[in-house]
Amino acid sequence: MTDTLLQAYLPLLVWPSIGFLLVRALPDQAPRLIGRGLYWVGIPLEVFALTHRASLGDRVGLAPFFAVFALLSGMGLAWATLAWLTWRSQQHTADPSAEPPPIPSLQQPTPVEFWANPARRGSFILSSMISSTGFVGLAIAPIFISDRYVSWIVFYSVAHNVLGTYGLGVFISSYFGRSEDLQLGWTQVRDVLTVPTLWAYAIGMATREIVVPDAVEQGLQASVWVVIPIALALMGMRLSQLNGWRSLKWAIAPTLLKVIIVPIVVGLTATVVGLSPEPRLAVVLMSGMPSALTGLILAEEYELDRELIASSIVLTTGLLLLTIPVWLLVFGT
């Protein structure tokens, strides 16, 4: 198992480190331009390539179900946790016997001030529900799953990205990032319908029966392994801008939800449904992937709190190194 884990962890260590070092030699706008390039070109190309090639069968239709279940579980738990954090902070502030809160400042907001910011609330929810299934998941999960069940990973990833990241995720990002009065309306619907990844998925599904030249097919599949390193490098660029513990402490709650609570809920549900060990392990691994790198891309596009999402990515990625062996032991047998 040690060699397998090393093979899985290596991309998570190498590419973000390269981005972390490279950002110092790039213009200030480079991370934003890279993020938007992934949003409009890189990720749609990856989704099209995976959808066009993936095969169906062996109850694989349950994979999208578990992807949606994990998304809704993460979103519901995030909403409840935010409500609890806000209530707890307000109670602590109102309690005369409590320790006096720190003097408010732009650098150190109180918990009530911090979570009252719509952009931060949106980032909290995204960090808790959106997994890096397309980048980290597709690079790691297949190492632990036999070829027979790789289609579970692919369709989980596609469903998660299409329905979650670029469906519900765009809706939430638009709602908290662009709507000053937080009112639902045409803006959110328009933003979801114009997401390029949705169109890439639709085209990929519609052309699955069309045979393309081998050179084109190989180029499509090779593009996936170009997009993944670029996305991981972008993560490293954003991580270089963190402000130490002051940034990381706010991300503890979404981190625990993302890589511990949600996978446990998914694993127990898969057990009740009666999935065999490998499909169950596949959906647990995918649901427990770190907070999505694409969350940073959405934050760039919709002006959310980039620092909170980046902090969540740091903590969830680090914790992933500890949780994968646990999921292998608990849900893989």
Side-chain angles (χ1 to χ4, degrees):
M1 179 185 292
T2 303
D3 292 341
T4 304
L5 289 174
L6 180 60
Q7 180 184 356
Y9 294 162
L10 194 59
L12 292 175
L13 300 175
V14 173
W15 293 111
S17 298
I18 292 175
F20 188 93
L21 297 174
L22 187 62
V23 70
R24 291 166 173 75
L26 296 175
D28 292 341
Q29 291 299 314
R32 176 172 173 78
L33 293 176
I34 293 172
R36 301 205 67 184
L38 288 169
Y39 180 88
W40 290 102
V41 180
I43 297 171
L45 184 61
E46 180 189 30
V47 168
F48 174 79
L50 294 173
T51 306
H52 180 75
R53 185 178 181 181
S55 60
L56 302 174
D58 202 8
R59 299 181 71 188
V60 73
L62 287 176
F65 165 79
F66 279 101
V68 174
F69 178 73
L71 286 164
L72 295 180
S73 298
M75 183 177 67
L77 289 168
W79 277 103
T81 303
L82 275 174
W84 180 79
L85 287 172
T86 302
W87 174 84
R88 183 173 179 272
S89 299
Q90 292 172 340
Q91 291 295 110
H92 182 82
T93 302
D95 185 357
S97 64
E99 295 181 4
I103 299 175
S105 68
L106 293 177
Q107 289 74 31
Q108 294 183 330
T110 65
V112 173
E113 294 172 333
F114 189 89
W115 298 122
N117 185 299
R120 293 195 182 107
R121 295 175 70 86
S123 293
F124 185 103
I125 296 172
L126 286 183
S127 299
S128 302
M129 63 179 283
I130 303 295
S131 297
S132 187
T133 61
F135 301 142
V136 181
L138 291 176
I140 291 179
I143 297 174
F144 305 102
I145 304 298
S146 65
D147 291 343
R148 179 182 177 185
Y149 294 105
V150 167
S151 58
W152 279 75
I153 295 171
V154 172
F155 277 89
Y156 187 107
S157 176
V158 170
H160 183 281
N161 280 287
V162 172
L163 301 176
T165 305
Y166 294 110
L168 189 57
V170 168
F171 194 90
I172 290 173
S173 300
S174 178
Y175 176 68
F176 284 99
R178 285 184 176 173
S179 301
E180 295 181 0
D181 54 357
L182 296 184
Q183 296 295 316
L184 300 178
W186 170 246
T187 300
Q188 290 79 38
V189 176
R190 180 203 63 197
D191 287 339
V192 171
L193 293 178
T194 56
V195 170
T197 302
L198 292 178
W199 293 97
Y201 173 76
I203 296 172
M205 289 297 293
T207 58
R208 288 181 64 251
E209 303 300 327
I210 298 177
V211 179
V212 299
D214 290 341
V216 175
E217 185 67 38
Q218 292 174 4
L220 286 173
Q221 301 309 314
S223 68
V224 174
W225 303 108
V226 174
V227 173
I228 290 173
I230 293 175
L232 292 173
L234 175 62
M235 179 179 73
M237 294 178 189
R238 283 304 181 193
L239 299 186
S240 69
Q241 300 171 350
L242 294 180
N243 294 318
W245 173 246
R246 189 180 63 192
S247 298
L248 296 176
K249 67 179 182 180
W250 300 108
I252 293 176
T255 293
L256 296 177
L257 291 177
K258 183 70 214 63
V259 295
I260 295 181
I261 305 301
V262 170
I264 290 175
V265 172
V266 169
L268 293 177
T269 303
T271 301
V272 172
V273 171
L275 288 188
S276 56
E278 277 205 271
R280 180 178 62 187
L281 178 61
V283 296
V284 169
L285 287 175
M286 293 299 275
S287 67
M289 286 295 123
S291 298
L293 305 176
T294 46
L296 280 177
I297 298 173
L298 292 176
E300 300 283 3
E301 189 71 19
Y302 296 98
E303 298 298 328
L304 297 178
D305 189 327
R306 304 171 185 84
E307 191 171 46
L308 178 58
I309 292 180
S311 299
S312 297
I313 293 173
V314 170
L315 295 182
T316 54
T317 301
L319 194 55
L320 176 71
L321 305 181
L322 302 177
T323 57
I324 285 182
V326 175
W327 305 145
L328 291 175
L329 293 173
V330 175
F331 296 112
T333 56

